[in-house]
Amino acid sequence: MSDNSWIVEPHEKIRRWIIELDHRVMHEVDIYSENERWKRLSVYRLPASIIKLNRNAYTPQVVSFGPCYHGHANLKPMEEHKDRALLHFLRRFRKPIMVYIECLNIVVDDLRAAYQSLDNHWREDTESNHGIVYVMPDIMRDMLMIENQLPMLVLHRLVAAEGASNTQAEDYVNKLLFRLYNLDSYSRHKSIDKSLHVLDICHRVLLLPSDASHLRGKIWPSWVLEKTIPSATELHEAGIQIQRSRSTSLQDIRFYKGVFCVTLKIPVIVVDNITETFFLNLLAFERLHVGAGREVTNYLAFMNNIIRDSKDISLLRSCGIIQNSLGKDEVVADLFNSLTRDNSSVYVVEKKVIKYCSRPWVRWRANLVRTYFKNPWASISVIGSMFLFAFTFAQTGYTVIAYYRRP
């Protein structure tokens, strides 16, 4: 018997798996290629831990733009309108569809690389009018979902097929998106770098630094925005004037300490039916995409801290900072409080603590304990005073009663 007789022969499937794994290590693992692939990735599949918080905020309800939700049953009614839009596009520019297909074939590898976990059949090489006013808000909402993105490269190539230069194509597409989402004047955004998709370009516009010369206050750094600070109502009661900033950048939260007044300036925000979806997908984008930053995350953490209830929303609305299109202030307060929360037990405990501390009698009792029960002698003195007060009150009561009972 040989010295190696104690070795047990692996099962045939395990042996083939080991051979295949060794082959992949030798031929497929390329650090440089892996890094390049991650750089090209821009449309992500969300993990279940994010989706479960608010499934409707991440799932398109009307139309699919990319391959991730193509063919879903609830989105099929819009396919007819998409076909009609294609016919109008081809009729308008009077060119055969093969011109555009060939134009996109040049960049097809880049387009596929933009999607995470793309199904195999998408990697194979073989493969409106009445009522539009009512569905347009839903379409705009679906266009902002991170899993439903279409790389901007597609739109740029389609416009470039008409003879426009790359710069002209980018400017043209940007202008259409700014008009669609009622973003700031187009002239301010010509300096935007190449964006990945619609969600990315909206993210960049929200964070564009302001060139206004009047912004002299100290800008709040990101680590300050994440700290817990008093609510807007408490800041106002402390003598801090809360004003609307003339800047539209979410980063321009500034603090002014003057001789006679202290001012906190916050950029205006419009809260409507797509605000929740918009910010939740921006949070997911910053969490998943390398280089996206944390500016929106910090801004929402700050807003969550200064907004505790409807009174804070009412104050911010009167200052012109929040434009409420949802109706009740309570709804807006719940929206901001839900954007940065998770369903962890820590959040539940935090809400209970805040609710407990907001009761007036809790503060009165805490003040009483701090003032009169800090040491045993102070406690004895307070208890003695209480007994003396009780006896005095009882004696006064008996005197009054005896007076009225005299014959």
Side-chain angles (χ1 to χ4, degrees):
M1 183 178 295
S2 64
D3 295 335
N4 297 329
S5 59
W6 57 274
I7 300 178
V8 179
E9 181 71 12
H11 190 274
E12 180 63 21
K13 288 185 178 180
I14 298 179
R15 187 181 67 83
R16 276 188 278 177
W17 176 77
I18 294 175
I19 295 175
E20 180 183 356
L21 185 61
D22 290 338
H23 176 79
R24 293 180 61 188
V25 169
M26 295 297 296
H27 296 86
E28 295 184 19
V29 177
D30 186 341
I31 301 299
Y32 175 79
S33 300
E34 285 290 309
N35 290 336
E36 290 300 312
R37 183 175 68 85
W38 280 104
K39 289 179 181 178
R40 298 161 71 187
L41 186 64
S42 62
V43 183
Y44 300 88
R45 289 285 193 176
L46 294 179
S49 59
I50 293 180
I51 294 179
K52 71 178 183 179
L53 298 179
N54 192 332
R55 185 173 300 274
N56 289 335
Y58 305 106
T59 307
Q61 306 296 313
V62 175
V63 59
S64 65
F65 292 98
C68 295
Y69 286 92
H70 178 76
H72 282 219
N74 65 309
L75 307 178
K76 285 185 177 180
M78 187 56 68
E79 294 300 312
E80 178 183 349
H81 298 284
K82 291 167 65 175
D83 291 340
R84 187 181 298 112
L86 175 61
L87 294 176
H88 282 292
F89 178 82
L90 296 175
R91 186 180 298 116
R92 176 182 176 184
F93 294 107
R94 300 182 181 279
K95 288 186 179 181
I97 191 173
M98 285 306 300
V99 173
Y100 302 99
I101 293 178
E102 292 173 0
C103 198
L104 292 175
N105 275 335
I106 300 175
V107 294
V108 67
D109 290 335
D110 292 328
L111 297 178
R112 287 170 175 166
Y115 291 91
Q116 184 183 31
S117 304
L118 195 62
D119 295 337
N120 289 331
H121 73 274
W122 288 104
R123 301 188 180 276
E124 298 174 356
D125 293 331
T126 57
E127 231 238 26
S128 301
N129 298 322
H130 179 70
I132 192 67
V133 175
Y134 302 99
V135 300
M136 198 61 196
D138 294 326
I139 294 176
M140 293 171 60
R141 177 178 176 271
D142 291 351
M143 287 176 64
L144 297 172
M145 295 182 180
I146 189 170
E147 292 186 332
N148 200 32
Q149 294 300 302
L150 194 66
M152 294 293 287
L153 185 57
V154 174
L155 304 179
H156 294 164
R157 296 298 298 181
L158 291 176
V159 176
E162 295 303 315
S165 65
N166 291 335
T167 303
Q168 291 174 333
E170 292 174 12
D171 288 344
Y172 178 76
V173 174
N174 288 350
K175 187 175 182 179
L176 289 178
L177 290 174
F178 298 147
R179 185 185 305 168
L180 176 64
Y181 285 101
N182 195 27
L183 300 174
D184 202 1
S185 59
Y186 172 62
S187 59
R188 268 197 65 215
H189 308 306
K190 286 187 176 180
S191 60
I192 287 183
D193 297 331
K194 289 186 177 180
S195 53
L196 304 172
H197 37 60
V198 173
L199 185 64
D200 181 37
I201 199 171
C202 292
H203 180 264
R204 292 168 184 255
V205 170
L206 286 178
L207 302 176
L208 277 178
S210 176
D211 55 359
S213 59
H214 68 280
L215 297 177
R216 300 168 185 162
K218 183 178 180 181
I219 188 168
W220 287 34
S222 59
W223 63 268
V224 173
L225 300 181
E226 292 179 321
K227 300 296 182 180
T228 301
I229 65 174
S231 67
T233 304
E234 292 171 336
L235 292 173
H236 178 71
E237 292 173 350
I240 298 177
Q241 296 184 14
I242 302 178
Q243 298 179 3
R244 170 181 175 175
S245 173
R246 291 170 59 186
S247 171
T248 58
S249 174
L250 296 187
Q251 298 185 88
D252 281 336
I253 300 176
R254 296 179 178 263
F255 188 61
Y256 300 79
K257 291 193 295 183
V259 178
F260 299 104
C261 67
V262 180
T263 306
L264 173 64
K265 291 198 173 184
I266 306 174
V268 66
I269 178 174
V270 179
V271 182
D272 53 25
N273 292 326
I274 68 173
T275 299
E276 182 179 20
T277 296
F278 182 41
F279 278 121
L280 284 175
N281 282 274
L282 285 178
L283 289 172
F285 180 63
E286 287 190 344
R287 176 176 176 178
L288 296 172
H289 186 69
V290 177
R294 286 179 49 84
E295 286 78 8
V296 172
T297 304
N298 293 336
Y299 166 80
L300 291 176
F302 172 80
M303 295 299 288
N304 178 56
N305 286 333
I306 67 171
I307 295 174
R308 306 288 171 81
D309 51 36
S310 60
K311 293 185 296 183
D312 300 312
I313 294 295
S314 177
L315 174 61
L316 295 175
R317 185 165 47 80
S318 65
C319 297
I321 296 171
I322 289 182
Q323 297 180 7
N324 182 8
S325 298
L326 296 181
K328 294 183 178 180
D329 291 337
E330 293 85 350
V331 177
V332 181
D334 291 340
L335 187 151
F336 275 100
N337 294 152
S338 66
L339 286 174
T340 55
R341 79 181 182 201
D342 54 26
N343 290 332
S344 64
S345 58
V346 176
Y347 175 78
V348 176
V349 172
E350 178 184 350
K351 296 296 288 185
K352 289 181 178 179
V353 171
I354 293 175
K355 183 178 180 180
Y356 174 80
C357 294
S358 63
R359 297 169 180 171
W361 67 269
V362 173
R363 299 179 182 178
W364 297 339
R365 187 182 65 178
N367 290 331
L368 180 65
V369 171
R370 283 196 302 267
T371 305
Y372 300 105
F373 293 92
K374 289 187 295 185
N375 57 68
W377 295 110
S379 302
I380 294 173
S381 175
V382 171
I383 295 174
S385 300
M386 293 175 62
F387 274 109
L388 179 61
F389 175 79
F391 287 135
T392 303
F393 181 81
Q395 183 179 6
T396 303
Y398 284 125
T399 303
V400 172
I401 294 174
Y403 173 81
Y404 282 103
R405 287 186 174 180
R406 287 187 306 173

